[in-house]
Amino acid sequence: MPVFTDSPEEAAFRKDVRAFIENECPEPLKGLNRRTGGGFGAFGAPEFAEAMKTWRQRLAKRGWIAPAWPKEYGGAGMSHVQQFIFNMELAEARVPPGSGGIAIGMAGPTIIVHGTDEQQADNLPGILSGEVQWCQLWSEPGAGSDLASLQTRAVRDGDDFVINGQKIWTSGAQTAHRGIMLARTNPDAPKHRGITFFILDMKTPGITVSPLTQMTGQQGFNQVFFDNVRVPAKNVVGEVDRGWYVNTTTLDFERSSIGQNVGTKHTVRDLVAWSNEALKDGTSMIERNPLVRLELADRMVEAQVALMLSFRVADMQNRGMIPNHEASMGKMFSTELSQRVARTEMKLIGLYGTLMGGPYSPRNGAISRGYLGAVSATIAGGTSEIQRNILAQRGLGLPRD
Ligand SMILES: Cc1cc2nc3c(=O)[nH]c(=O)nc-3n(C[C@H](O)[C@H](O)[C@H](O)COP(=O)(O)OP(=O)(O)OC[C@H]3O[C@@H](n4cnc5c(N)ncnc54)[C@H](O)[C@@H]3O)c2cc1C
């Protein structure tokens, strides 16, 4: 196993981050991942709202709420290696980042690069303070992997655009104050060229948010309906009909998925420790299920492989290269691994795994929720099939058809 060492500057930065987390992160958030079993929506649970607010404020005070944003826009302006260390240390301490990925990772960067002065003044402070929650209105019932097929229409009428149509799978729309949205403004143009990027106030009349209940019982995402919704033309980001290209903007974010892969390593370690604990009859889970022993060893090896894939992407970025299929490989491997880990956990607990809570449910349903929640990992953010297409074409150089 290769050994990675920090340079003296990196080691000092890591120490600083570690001390900050130890001293400043509110207690209820420490180890949050372990207690809830992670899963979609765990960090947004109402019981953590107050602690999350405090954590955001402390990160903001330190300038670390938006690690990759340029300093002149209120970010930390961290280098790739600093972002990598920062994300790794948060994950090692099992604490959540300060703000949601859509606000910090998508809405903010797009507005920084393409927004007008007025749009920046109106939107960036609320993102940095974490007080304004954002959602991303891209997918539609007929447009997901092939996003450019989207049909929601925006038609110019005086100083406004009037929007009609439907979005689906919109994470957090039920609590979001604002949204970034793609809508079709020119149905006659080639499909990538007639799309416009809008900022939406989610309280605008005509928007109906209808939560969808997942099989975990949580309500993480929604259907959103638009019935003659009037959006001021000044809310268009970039040029009309050029929204597809506005959407491809990214700041220099670290792309290694290190946080997720450290989380998986912890999950597997916890599982090994837990399966060795003595039960009432003196045996342990692993003694009762010797066949799962080999599976656990496989998961541990795979968790290390996932970490190595993260280091590979981080190393490329540090050397000024742009990871492409390498990031797809990492995303695909770690999300499929999270499903294999969940299946191994389920095998260990057997039929008790059908319980979502109550005295007989191991770890108060965390394993069941993790098992059900893991299904979405290989869909969200680009399905495994789409990642395999990228690997085939850009990594292996295979023909498109
Ligand atoms: C947890 C979660 C959160 C999400 N949050 C948001 C959100 O906040 N905002 C938002 O806009 N969307 C969100 N989505 C939606 C997500 O972006 C889409 O589900 C995803 O892009 C896939 O699109 P789809 O569901 O329409 O499936 P489709 O694109 O219809 O795919 C169906 C199946 O066909 C396969 N497939 C499609 N095209 C190809 C191809 N070319 N080659 C091989 N196989 C193919 C897919 O892999 C999949 O198995 C979320 C999804 C999840 C699971």
Side-chain angles (χ1 to χ4, degrees):
M1 180 67 57
V3 177
F4 300 98
T5 48
D6 290 332
S7 69
E9 298 79 45
E10 289 160 10
F13 180 70
R14 190 184 294 280
K15 201 169 153 207
D16 193 14
V17 174
R18 223 173 257 178
F20 178 80
I21 295 171
E22 179 57 34
N23 299 329
E24 303 287 346
C25 182
E27 280 308 317
L29 298 183
K30 290 184 182 165
L32 182 60
N33 219 351
R34 175 174 36 206
R35 290 198 307 276
T36 58
F40 188 48
F43 292 146
E47 62 266 35
F48 299 119
E50 208 41 49
M52 277 303 296
K53 196 171 163 193
T54 309
W55 181 220
R56 270 199 302 268
Q57 284 165 351
R58 291 178 184 169
L59 280 162
K61 207 167 150 203
R62 180 68 205 247
W64 283 353
I65 197 98
W69 289 21
K71 282 195 173 144
E72 62 266 36
Y73 290 99
M78 286 187 196
S79 65
H80 288 128
V81 74
Q82 286 177 327
Q83 290 177 58
F84 183 77
I85 291 171
F86 183 72
N87 292 336
M88 189 172 185
E89 290 303 317
L90 287 181
E92 286 291 0
R94 308 182 188 218
V95 302
S99 194
I102 291 169
I104 293 287
M106 304 187 79
T110 309
I111 294 168
I112 286 173
V113 176
H114 297 279
T116 59
D117 290 348
E118 189 186 345
Q119 286 169 346
Q120 290 176 356
D122 190 29
N123 294 290
L124 300 184
I127 295 178
L128 287 167
S129 71
E131 275 156 31
V132 179
Q133 306 296 313
W134 288 72
C135 63
Q136 176 207 9
L137 300 129
W138 273 205
S139 305
E140 297 181 3
S145 303
D146 182 16
L147 184 59
S149 298
L150 61 89
Q151 294 299 325
T152 293
R153 283 282 276 127
V155 178
R156 183 81 193 228
D157 182 27
D159 289 340
D160 297 333
F161 279 85
V162 179
I163 300 184
N164 283 287
Q166 183 195 347
K167 296 288 175 179
I168 195 166
W169 314 128
T170 318
S171 305
Q174 72 274 46
T175 50
H177 307 97
R178 294 191 186 169
I180 44 174
M181 179 191 195
L182 293 176
R184 187 159 301 284
T185 32
N186 185 351
D188 301 323
K191 65 180 182 178
H192 292 89
R193 297 209 189 130
I195 293 172
T196 299
F197 191 117
F198 292 92
I199 297 171
L200 283 188
D201 175 347
M202 291 300 289
K203 292 282 170 280
T204 314
I207 298 180
T208 307
V209 177
S210 172
L212 295 162
T213 305
Q214 294 135 232
M215 57 185 165
T216 54
Q218 295 163 310
Q219 289 187 332
F221 42 37
N222 304 268
Q223 299 185 84
V224 183
F225 299 94
F226 294 83
D227 182 12
N228 288 320
V229 176
R230 297 193 81 87
V231 178
K234 68 182 172 67
N235 284 19
V236 168
V237 183
E239 288 173 45
V240 172
D241 289 346
R242 302 284 296 168
W244 186 260
Y245 308 98
V246 171
N247 181 36
T248 55
T249 307
T250 49
L251 287 179
D252 232 0
F253 279 96
E254 189 269 314
R255 297 182 64 201
S256 70
S257 306
I258 184 68
Q260 174 170 353
N261 290 331
V262 169
T264 304
K265 178 189 75 177
H266 283 309
T267 307
V268 179
R269 284 208 177 136
D270 287 350
L271 188 57
V272 171
W274 179 66
S275 59
N276 275 306
E277 275 172 22
L279 299 169
K280 276 190 191 136
D281 64 2
T283 64
S284 67
M285 298 286 269
I286 202 72
E287 281 174 66
R288 288 185 184 180
N289 300 280
L291 289 178
V292 185
R293 187 188 293 267
L294 288 177
E295 263 195 47
L296 276 173
D298 282 347
R299 297 300 88 86
M300 190 59 102
V301 172
E302 289 162 353
Q304 289 298 334
V305 171
L307 282 172
M308 292 306 112
L309 291 174
S310 284
F311 275 94
R312 181 189 187 197
V313 171
D315 178 58
M316 286 181 72
Q317 288 193 295
N318 288 339
R319 287 191 285 136
M321 297 161 77
I322 299 173
N324 186 301
H325 64 271
E326 296 85 355
S328 289
M329 189 193 295
K331 195 270 175 189
M332 189 186 83
F333 189 83
S334 51
T335 50
E336 293 186 357
L337 173 58
S338 71
Q339 293 175 348
R340 286 196 294 277
V341 170
R343 279 200 292 274
T344 301
E345 286 184 308
M346 225 14 142
K347 267 193 199 166
L348 258 175
I349 59 173
L351 280 176
Y352 289 105
T354 56
L355 300 171
M356 298 287 280
Y360 296 104
S361 169
R363 299 164 84 187
N364 200 24
I367 291 180
S368 323
R369 279 195 302 281
Y371 177 79
L372 296 174
V375 173
S376 68
T378 50
I379 303 171
T383 67
S384 272
E385 289 79 11
I386 296 299
Q387 309 304 333
R388 283 190 166 81
N389 284 347
I390 293 170
L391 272 171
Q393 287 158 26
R394 298 185 205 159
L396 300 173
L398 297 176
R400 213 179 153 78
D401 295 310

